[in-house]
Amino acid sequence: MDFETLKAKDHQYVMQTYNRFDIAIDHGQGATLYGLDGKEYIDFSSGIGVNSLGYGNEAWVAAIVEQAVKLGHISNLFYSQPYVDLAETLTQRAGMSNVFFANSGAEANEGMIKLARKYSFDKYGKGRGTIITLKNSFHGRTITTLSATGQDVFHNYFFPFNDGFRYADATLDGVEAVAGHDVCAVMLELVQGEGGVFPMDRGFIHDLAVLCAERDWLLLIDEVQTGVGRTGTLFAYQQYGVLPDAVSFAKGIAGGLPFGGVMANEKCREVLTPGTHATTFGGNPVCAAAAKAVLDTLDDTVLAQIQEKGDYLRDAIDSMDLPCLGWTRGLGLMVGIQVRGGFENRDLAARLMDAGLLVLTAGNNVLRLLPPLLITQEELHKGLKIMKDTLEGVGA
Ligand SMILES: *Cc1c(COP(=O)(O)O)cnc(C)c1O
């Protein structure tokens, strides 16, 4: 099918909820993607932080094929080995106690919110269901996770939204200012992704963990974007020196298949009891096998390389000194570049894509880079060269 026909059929048969770029992707290898017309793109986006091992990774493909041939799905009424193997590896490496498997980030966060409210209900009864989230956060697109998201632009059209969330500035005073007897938890991203790649201050996170312990509030960390190696440790909290009461993950976990979940620490391991939470596809054997292949690939050597590649990427962009780009920030291969006033992130992204480099945008006029975690030096060089050549002339 040619591109114009494909586009026309999309507009006719698919709900137009996405502002797509004028490109159709056909296939990929490593961190390189190929358009329908054969055009080559270096991928600094990983399908929004999903394709952690890049495209066509052999171990990942083999794990999926082998499991699909053996058993493609089985309900949660039965035991099966793939999700058990994954649960063991994941919880041990995360320092957590147990896990509930789901299918997406929003669903993982729904589970985490339910866990926090039930923890509090079991111990204190009704009236303590409020969760503090941060301004500029993003937690998902279901009604409840939209309600949890601390950005007004997301609180539109779909009224009524849910009560039970209060939005704080990302400081201890900010959190104290919205505290109350009705609070059971604080939920946050350690690097706000959709909001514009803002890493949290380490002192704030340390003090917040202490405050949560004092008040018996659960510390809930949304690692849907930061998790599974993205920041150079398996989870970002491992760099912040805190252990969450619960942590959600999704995006990169299965390297491209829909998967996610929520892990609980020892204090919260028994909160979600039989009948209180479920999902039909949760722990699907093919997704679990893919996720195991991702985790086995992300060993200590690869995680250290993610840190190095992230530092290299930021240094290289800083030293380009482009007129349209300001300061860079982030952790590991989660990089934000502040677009300067007078320039538009979406316009710059479109120019880069035209030139053969796929990048993402984020809130607050930011360009966001989430390359596949296994991207090679050669692919990084190619991408950076396209960035320099394309943006050098812009606005000069
Ligand atoms: C993407 C994202 C979500 C939502 O994940 P979906 O899989 O799209 O439901 C939630 N939280 C954070 C931090 C995210 O980046």
Side-chain angles (χ1 to χ4, degrees):
M1 200 183 291
D2 67 88
F3 178 61
E4 289 309 322
T5 313
L6 182 79
K7 188 172 161 183
K9 284 184 190 273
D10 171 290
H11 285 243
Q12 182 166 2
Y13 298 117
V14 178
M15 288 187 198
Q16 295 298 298
T17 61
Y18 302 104
N19 267 321
R20 297 186 208 277
F21 287 97
D22 235 3
I23 297 172
I25 299 295
D26 185 65
H27 64 282
Q29 188 60 46
T32 307
L33 285 165
Y34 298 87
L36 206 54
D37 54 1
K39 183 169 165 175
E40 187 180 302
Y41 299 91
I42 297 296
D43 182 21
F44 279 6
S45 68
S46 317
I48 318 191
V50 168
N51 302 91
S52 24
L53 308 186
Y55 306 94
N57 179 271
E58 279 179 24
W60 180 79
V61 172
I64 289 171
V65 170
E66 200 178 306
Q67 185 55 48
V69 168
K70 200 172 167 196
L71 180 70
H73 176 74
I74 182 71
S75 75
N76 283 304
L77 303 175
F78 303 98
Y79 294 95
S80 75
Q81 197 175 326
Y83 75 81
V84 174
D85 282 346
L86 175 65
E88 180 180 20
T89 305
L90 185 62
T91 54
Q92 285 185 354
R93 290 185 60 186
M96 299 297 280
S97 296
N98 57 11
V99 61
F100 174 89
F101 289 119
N103 310 283
S104 70
E107 195 195 0
N109 284 337
E110 291 269 349
M112 190 155 74
I113 290 163
K114 283 176 73 175
L115 183 147
R117 289 188 176 157
K118 184 161 184 297
Y119 171 85
S120 189
F121 180 87
D122 289 347
K123 209 161 161 181
Y124 303 98
K126 277 190 182 166
R128 199 174 175 277
T130 297
I131 296 174
I132 297 173
T133 63
L134 298 186
K135 291 179 186 165
N136 199 47
S137 58
F138 180 79
H139 297 295
R141 293 283 192 163
T142 61
I143 297 285
T144 301
T145 56
L146 279 176
S147 304
T149 292
Q151 300 186 54
D152 287 341
V153 289
F154 286 98
H155 304 151
N156 206 352
Y157 317 118
F158 312 112
F159 304 101
F161 287 93
N162 294 352
D163 291 338
F165 296 97
R166 283 208 292 273
Y167 317 115
D169 289 323
T171 61
L172 204 64
D173 286 346
V175 171
E176 290 271 29
V178 299
H181 295 296
D182 57 342
V183 171
C184 67
V186 179
M187 173 160 103
L188 78 166
E189 301 154 270
L190 289 174
V191 183
Q192 291 184 331
E194 303 302 312
V197 193
F198 292 103
M200 289 294 138
D201 177 75
R202 278 159 210 273
F204 165 54
I205 296 304
H206 173 266
D207 294 348
L208 180 64
V210 172
L211 182 71
C212 284
E214 274 170 21
R215 308 261 170 104
D216 200 14
W217 296 345
L218 296 189
L219 179 62
L220 311 177
I221 302 191
D222 177 347
E223 292 239 21
V224 169
Q225 192 160 153
T226 51
V228 200
R230 176 54 56 190
T231 65
T233 45
L234 194 61
F235 289 93
Y237 62 78
Q238 293 168 318
Q239 289 176 62
Y240 275 82
V242 293
L243 188 72
D245 293 298
V247 55
S248 60
F249 56 93
K251 290 195 165 84
I253 180 72
L257 295 189
F259 206 50
V262 52
M263 285 186 276
N265 71 3
E266 203 51 28
K267 184 167 88 178
C268 297
R269 61 171 293 133
E270 314 246 316
V271 173
L272 293 177
T273 47
T276 58
H277 198 44
T279 184
T280 299
F281 290 108
N284 170 275
V286 177
C287 296
K292 183 70 168 46
V294 170
L295 287 186
D296 289 347
T297 304
L298 300 180
D299 59 19
D300 288 344
T301 310
V302 171
L303 291 173
Q305 287 165 352
I306 292 167
Q307 295 270 13
E308 286 161 22
K309 285 189 273 195
D311 291 345
Y312 170 78
L313 193 56
R314 284 179 57 191
D315 287 348
I317 295 165
D318 285 336
S319 65
M320 283 178 202
D321 215 7
L322 297 167
C324 57
L325 300 183
W327 61 298
T328 61
R329 52 187 183 252
L331 278 184
L333 282 172
M334 181 167 184
V335 172
I337 316 169
Q338 189 61 52
V339 172
R340 290 217 170 101
F343 301 94
E344 284 283 333
N345 56 355
R346 201 171 154 90
D347 168 60
L348 298 183
R351 287 170 190 258
L352 290 170
M353 290 187 203
D354 252 6
L357 176 66
L358 303 188
V359 299
L360 296 162
T361 59
N364 292 292
N365 205 18
V366 164
L367 283 178
R368 179 174 40 147
L369 311 181
L370 303 172
L373 304 177
L374 300 185
I375 191 167
T376 61
Q377 278 297 335
E378 195 193 335
E379 288 165 319
L380 277 176
H381 283 153
K382 270 197 198 174
L384 286 165
K385 182 164 186 330
I386 293 171
M387 186 179 285
K388 185 162 189 285
D389 292 350
T390 310
L391 299 185
E392 221 160 32
V394 177

